[in-house]
DNA sequence: GTCTATAGACGGATAGAC
DNA sequence: GTCTATCCGTCTATAGAC
């Protein structure tokens, strides 16, 4: 392929849209107010986490520079280093919050629930979906940007993820034991149910007529249909 | 109900095939041989597309440099520009291939199918899942890296995506009309079914006992259960 | 705690030899 | 069609003034 002057113009357009990308760039998710579960930070530190989460969710970790974050917060880049020792530490913190929040929510849901596997699946799926669509930017960063962490820094989050998975697996296993759920496809069905919640932050927009709890109820119902023998 | 984990998959293989990149990096997906649907390119051009797709899938578009791509191909960076005018053009090409392949497969599936909405959903879901797990790296780049394209270059792919979605919506609508599917939650259920296939490339590993067609069959069965009134 | 200035590596892309 | 050499901008992070 031959190089032409059009290539140069092309690059210029790219640079321009990078500098002003909030106006022209595509994003992975609709614009929503960035929120984090309460109790995780406050003041400028919280502000940095919120804007980082928003930028990471929309453009990805690698495409987001510390200058972008600083500008969004309203400070200069070196000031960020008063709060976090590196850009990777910011991501690590967000990813950890996301995994902790989901695990705690799942554990609480199961604790507030009877021993019936059907009720337990309903509670877990509802909680899983609600967690993802209540904090959509957090869910997206937690799932999609984790791999930018060094293995050391990812390890803690991955351990939490494993515990969350175990909760789901154990409930499914007990349902099969009791003859309520189909056993032959349990692993695949569990993965399918998880996928529904994981993808929800990318497309779901709550409306007055159909909010986050409605989606959670619908998905819980779907999960039961998927698990029961037909 | 779980965020599926493909992060730790086969790290040694990833290291070896990743050409001196930071050899501790996590990846989003297990290491698999990069493949594209036939007929899209050949020779060095194909080689560039394959290695770019692999690197974009594992590390993301922004974290992959033209030097990484060139090294993986076995040439120097400036030589890439004989084949593609920019890094973004490489991504655009991959994303377009991904969207074209899925749309063509869905159209063919529907064409080879009777008018019964249940058979049609089975065929469409089977095809959707098969397309995603047959070309997992292509599916991941197509879905997750699209937003790095300028709106102009993304437009063609997004138009194809819309046509693919319309096929699914139309089949669902006809099923509701005929009283076979539940109408009240059709949009949400359709999104949930699509999510199952979209996430599959991240976690599914075919084995001799349970291959890609087995997953496609299982997911098709799940989709029918989800759509039918209970 | 915030700034300006800057180090030093790396980014995409181009020129021009062969 | 592949290379070496290079441009120039951006990157993360640090030094040091206030």
């Amino acid at each position: 392929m031959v190089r032409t002057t059009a290539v140069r113009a092309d690059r210029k357009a790219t640079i321009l849209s990078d500098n002003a990308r909030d106006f022209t760039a595509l994003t992975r998710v609709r614009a929503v107010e960035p929120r984090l579960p309460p109790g995780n930070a406050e003041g400028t530190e919280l502000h940095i986490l919120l804007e980082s989460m928003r930028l990471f969710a929309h453009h990805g970790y690698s495409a987001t520079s510390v200058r972008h974050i600083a500008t969004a917060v309203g400070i200069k880049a070196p000031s960020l280093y008063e709060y976090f020792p590196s850009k990777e530490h910011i991501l690590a913190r967000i990813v950890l919050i996301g995994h902790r929040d989901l695990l705690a929510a799942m554990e609480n849901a199961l604790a507030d629930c009877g021993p019936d596997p059907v009720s337990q699946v309903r509670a877990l799926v509802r909680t899983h979906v609600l967690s993802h669509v209540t904090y959509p930017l957090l869910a997206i960063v937690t799932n999609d940007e984790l791999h930018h962490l060094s293995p050391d820094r990812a390890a803690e989050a991955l351990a939490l993820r494993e515990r969350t998975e175990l909760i789901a697996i154990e409930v499914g296993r007990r349902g099969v034991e009791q003859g309520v759920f189909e056993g032959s496809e349990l692993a695949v069905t569990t993965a399918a149910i998880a996928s529904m919640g994981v993808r929800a932050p990318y497309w779901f927009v709550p409306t007055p007529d159909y909010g986050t709890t409605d989606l959670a109820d619908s998905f819980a119902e779907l999960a039961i249909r998927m698990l029961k023998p037909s």
Side-chain angles (χ1 to χ4, degrees), chain A:
Chain A
M1 191 167 293
V2 183
R3 277 167 277 168
T4 66
T5 50
V7 174
R8 189 193 292 272
D10 199 68
R11 187 190 175 202
K12 194 171 255 177
T14 301
I15 292 168
L16 284 174
S17 83
D18 274 349
N19 290 340
R21 64 186 183 179
D22 279 342
F23 299 98
T24 60
L26 294 174
T27 62
R28 286 192 287 201
V29 64
R30 72 189 189 289
V32 292
E33 195 65 27
R35 281 188 298 148
L36 282 171
N40 281 297
E42 55 182 0
T44 304
E45 188 185 355
L46 175 59
H47 198 175
I48 292 168
L49 288 173
L50 291 172
E51 292 301 329
S52 300
M53 178 178 71
R54 190 176 60 77
L55 290 164
F56 293 165
H58 283 271
H59 309 290
Y61 174 78
S62 295
T64 302
S65 73
V66 293
R67 279 188 260 269
H68 289 139
I69 298 169
T71 301
V73 173
I75 59 181
K76 300 295 180 182
S79 300
L80 288 175
Y81 292 87
E82 291 292 320
Y83 300 91
F84 295 92
S86 76
K87 181 178 131 178
E88 195 191 337
H89 280 80
I90 300 177
L91 176 62
R93 178 74 168 278
I94 296 168
V95 165
L96 201 53
I97 292 172
H99 279 93
R100 277 187 182 149
D101 183 63
L102 180 64
L103 176 58
M106 299 276 276
E107 283 174 339
N108 288 338
L110 203 59
D112 296 346
C113 192
D116 170 32
V118 170
S119 311
Q120 290 182 335
V121 166
R122 273 193 219 278
L124 289 182
V125 171
R126 268 185 54 87
T127 302
H128 186 254
V129 173
L130 271 180
S131 173
H132 280 74
V133 297
T134 304
Y135 302 104
L137 302 182
L138 178 62
I140 286 169
V141 172
T142 299
N143 277 310
D144 276 11
E145 308 298 329
L146 168 71
H147 70 283
H148 289 293
L149 294 176
S150 67
D152 265 12
R153 250 188 279 290
E156 191 174 353
L158 288 173
L160 295 174
R161 181 178 295 202
E162 225 163 282
R163 288 174 57 192
T164 309
E165 287 172 356
L166 274 178
I167 292 176
I169 290 167
E170 177 60 15
V171 167
R173 196 190 57 73
R174 287 187 47 258
V176 171
E177 245 176 38
Q178 299 182 20
V180 189
F181 301 149
E182 195 173 35
S184 63
E185 310 258 340
L186 181 62
V188 162
T189 306
T190 304
I193 293 169
S195 300
M196 292 160 41
V198 168
R199 289 293 305 174
Y202 290 90
W203 63 268
F204 180 67
V205 182
T207 64
D209 282 350
Y210 192 89
T212 55
T213 55
D214 299 306
L215 185 73
D217 289 337
S218 299
F219 275 17
E221 176 58 27
L222 291 178
I224 298 300
R225 288 191 204 173
M226 293 162 80
L227 284 162
K228 283 195 175 169
S230 51

